[in-house]
Amino acid sequence: MLGLLLSPLLSWAQPPELRQFLLQRTPEALYLNARLALTPHGAVQDALVKGVPLYFVWEASVYRERWYWTDKRVTTQRRVLRLAYQPLTRLWRVSVSTDGAGASGGAGLQYALHQNHDTLEEALAGVGHVARWRLADARQLDGGDEHYVVFDFRLDLTLLPRPFQIGLGSQAEWTMALEQEMRVPNAATPEPPVEARAGAEPRAPETGADAAEPPGR
């Protein structure tokens, strides 16, 4: 496995491809549903295969527009996903944490959820997908003001062990980041019955085979 030959298609760094980005505002809260396609550079994949855990950060901030001052940040939500290969079981493990980064980097995080995957492709699909991520409570969006969300996804090298960070910041192949902005719907949409949404998730309007073009602010 350590001698895996990398495909030429994976030898060039590519930013995450946004496949789905949908804000869902209900009478209770504001949720984000998103799906990214991740294509790591050969050096990144090689590090993963050799057992180096990598940390991917989802971060979303809700802002209230103010004509008389700078826009106010209402709330910020953050989650960290740790992706690591386990040679003994030959499985890929994705661990999810909603804590802030600890003083000891990624090793200081507390993880609440773990999922195992048979292949790296399946694990990357898990890292690049979030469903009904609660960004703000309904009361935080009251007042009739306009709101928008600034979303950021990145491979966070600062969470790696410090010796491993040396020199990586200057290597473009280790840059995997995406930023997106979208307006919050002005009106809430009632939740469908539990039976109707069980096993299904909201999807953005499709303009192609399976891609959605999210509107800007």
Side-chain angles (χ1 to χ4, degrees), residues 1 6 20 27 52 138-139 169:
M1 191 67 175
L6 302 178
Q20 178 194 17
V52 178
R139 59 179 176 78

Side-chain angles (χ1 to χ4, degrees), residues 18 36 53 70 72-73 79 82 118 146 154 156 176:
L18 189 60
L36 310 175
T70 57
K72 178 181 180 181
R73 184 168 61 180
R79 53 193 284 159
R82 179 182 186 272
D118 292 327
E146 296 287 335
R154 64 188 181 276
D156 196 335
M176 295 179 63

Side-chain angles (χ1 to χ4, degrees), residues 82-98:
R82 179 182 186 272
L83 173 60
Y85 179 64
Q86 300 176 306
L88 292 179
T89 60
R90 297 185 179 180
L91 293 175
W92 296 87
R93 168 166 283 200
V94 176
S95 304
V96 182
S97 171
T98 55

